[in-house]
Amino acid sequence: MSRERVFSGIQPTGTLQLGNYLGAIKGMIELVEHYECIYGIVDYHAVTVPYNVEKMPQNKLNVAIGYLAAGLDPQKATLMVQSDVPEHTELAWLFGCITSVNKLEHLPTLKDKLETVDFFSSGLLNYPILQAADIVIYKATLVPVGRDQEAHIEFTREVVRKFNNTFGQTFPEPASYNTPGAIVPSLSGEGKMSKSVPGSYIALTDTPEEIWQKLAQTLTDPRRVRRDDPGDPEACPVIWQLHHIYTPEEKRAELAEGCRTAGIGCLQCKRELYRLMMEDLSPLQERWRDLAAHPDYVRDVLREGAARVRPIAQATMAEVREKMGLAGV
Ligand code: TYM
């Protein structure tokens, strides 16, 4: 019996940060045993905003290294580069023709993105269309992503419904798969952790010292000015949320009590978080160093991945052209 398919992607826009890992990659790993998983390095999405041409190949390699270092087994999940399967963009063109500009202009993700760029390209407007095509070209039913992506998955379902209603049942409506925990917050406490916002993130390749420095400088409950001031974990916007991801419940209750009674200081609370975080990240970083020393192995994984999935994308495009009356003359 063939298994249901999963697709997700990460943009090669810089180094991978903790939000990518906790919000998306962990979920991707969880699904590998039960689904046929395809995970992309979505380079055509990364060029929707101004970018550094010279750094792009290394950025792509780094996302692949990140997937592998986090524990994705390339025998069990397919890793590929989006532009190696050009059918993604072909399907995106056709989806663009059944999507209103008005719909795209009103997606909340666009508003956030526009705050970070000076140049508004039509590629950026069409970003969600390409994302929808990425997913459904493989007829994927599940998409492991961070909670910030919900609007794009909902949009994908709408495009699928429109296509199926217009041209006949072709695509399943995909659902998102979220890891437990909310959106990983920016270290500044404002918005989400993001590689496009300097100072907001912990990179997966940060050294242990850098990670500790970042945590040590992160703002906690503003009422805890001195060590002896009692605090409220709920008013600690970043560290407490990260404890929710990393710290077992019992230990968390202990820390909360310590915070409320000023039994422990913020630094001690952060040290506990740092310890658990590094327990998780150290093996990943070790594998990262090893993979970075063997880039040709990583390139082979990507080449084989694209070769494995391209026939699926081609079959879908043949079906789509047929359904849309484009298959012959
Ligand atoms: P990107 O590269 O911006 O993010 C990759 C993944 O990381 C998650 N993420 C977070 N999750 C929780 N907290 C955070 N602070 C945080 N920051 C990033 C994102 O939710 C995402 O899952 N649009 C996608 C890329 C994409 C895609 C696709 C995803 C293109 N085509 C098809 C799934 C299926 C994105 O946000 O990339």
Side-chain angles (χ1 to χ4, degrees):
M1 200 186 76
S2 74
R3 294 187 296 177
E4 279 187 48
R5 251 182 228 130
V6 165
F7 183 90
S8 191
I10 296 182
Q11 302 182 76
T13 40
T15 172
L16 289 179
Q17 43 87 9
L18 199 65
N20 299 133
Y21 175 58
L22 299 175
I25 299 178
K26 278 202 180 240
M28 296 186 199
I29 294 170
E30 283 171 23
L31 297 177
V32 161
E33 295 297 335
H34 305 289
Y35 295 87
E36 184 188 334
C37 297
I38 305 167
Y39 297 137
I41 296 154
V42 289
D43 50 351
Y44 280 167
H45 278 104
V47 299
T48 56
V49 293
Y51 69 101
N52 186 317
V53 175
E54 281 77 37
K55 286 190 178 157
M56 182 57 90
Q58 185 64 45
N59 286 347
K60 287 163 65 167
L61 195 68
N62 282 350
V63 176
I65 291 174
Y67 277 142
L68 295 167
L72 278 171
D73 177 348
Q75 299 307 318
K76 293 185 177 168
T78 300
L79 305 184
M80 49 82 72
V81 174
Q82 184 188 37
S83 61
D84 285 343
V85 184
E87 286 76 13
H88 288 230
T89 40
E90 189 181 354
L91 184 59
W93 172 260
L94 299 174
F95 281 174
C97 298
I98 57 167
T99 304
S100 78
V101 171
N102 187 50
K103 173 82 212 165
L104 293 166
E105 280 175 342
H106 287 93
L107 282 174
T109 38
L110 178 66
K111 196 171 145 278
D112 293 346
K113 221 24 186 297
L114 286 179
E115 279 168 16
T116 64
V117 292
D118 299 327
F119 177 65
F120 181 16
S121 68
S122 64
L124 187 58
L125 182 69
N126 290 328
Y127 180 115
I129 295 179
L130 181 57
Q131 180 161 350
D134 293 337
I135 298 165
V136 307
I137 199 149
Y138 302 110
K139 303 197 176 183
T141 50
L142 207 55
V143 189
V145 278
R147 286 170 205 270
D148 59 311
Q149 289 297 298
E150 199 44 52
H152 285 169
I153 309 304
E154 177 55 32
F155 171 79
T156 302
R157 286 192 287 270
E158 284 172 28
V159 173
V160 163
R161 280 197 289 275
K162 179 86 182 268
F163 189 96
N164 289 344
N165 287 338
T166 312
F167 302 109
Q169 181 62 37
T170 309
F171 299 111
E173 284 184 35
S176 53
Y177 176 82
N178 299 129
T179 51
I183 292 171
V184 179
S186 160
L187 293 178
S188 71
E190 269 172 55
K192 63 169 185 169
M193 188 175 282
S194 163
K195 47 203 158 178
S196 52
V197 183
S200 80
Y201 64 88
I202 290 174
L204 293 184
T205 47
D206 279 347
T207 63
E209 294 71 32
E210 283 169 331
I211 294 177
W212 170 246
Q213 282 311 319
K214 286 181 180 180
L215 289 178
Q217 285 161 20
T218 296
L219 200 75
T220 53
D221 178 351
R223 281 168 303 180
R224 291 204 81 178
V225 181
R226 283 176 303 268
R227 162 69 184 78
D228 293 339
D229 294 331
D232 174 7
E234 302 306 330
C236 179
V238 185
I239 301 294
W240 189 238
Q241 212 164 310
L242 289 171
H243 268 303
H244 270 89
I245 296 171
Y246 273 115
T247 311
E249 206 176 324
E250 213 171 297
K251 180 73 196 171
R252 232 170 40 229
E254 212 178 279
L255 292 170
E257 178 64 13
C259 176
R260 288 194 190 97
T261 58
I264 61 164
C266 291
L267 223 50
Q268 195 177 337
C269 183
K270 287 174 172 180
R271 239 178 254 127
E272 189 58 34
L273 175 65
Y274 171 73
R275 190 180 65 75
L276 292 166
M277 193 182 276
M278 289 318 296
E279 246 176 54
D280 185 32
L281 293 184
S282 294
L284 181 155
Q285 294 195 329
E286 206 178 309
R287 285 192 294 267
W288 190 300
R289 282 190 288 275
D290 198 40
L291 288 156
H294 299 94
D296 282 338
Y297 162 75
V298 183
R299 290 188 188 105
D300 282 347
V301 166
L302 296 175
R303 219 182 344 259
E304 281 167 28
R308 207 182 302 159
V309 296
R310 194 160 180 212
I312 308 172
Q314 286 171 329
T316 303
M317 278 318 299
E319 185 186 351
V320 165
R321 281 191 222 103
E322 182 69 40
K323 290 230 165 89
M324 292 185 72
L326 299 166
V329 286

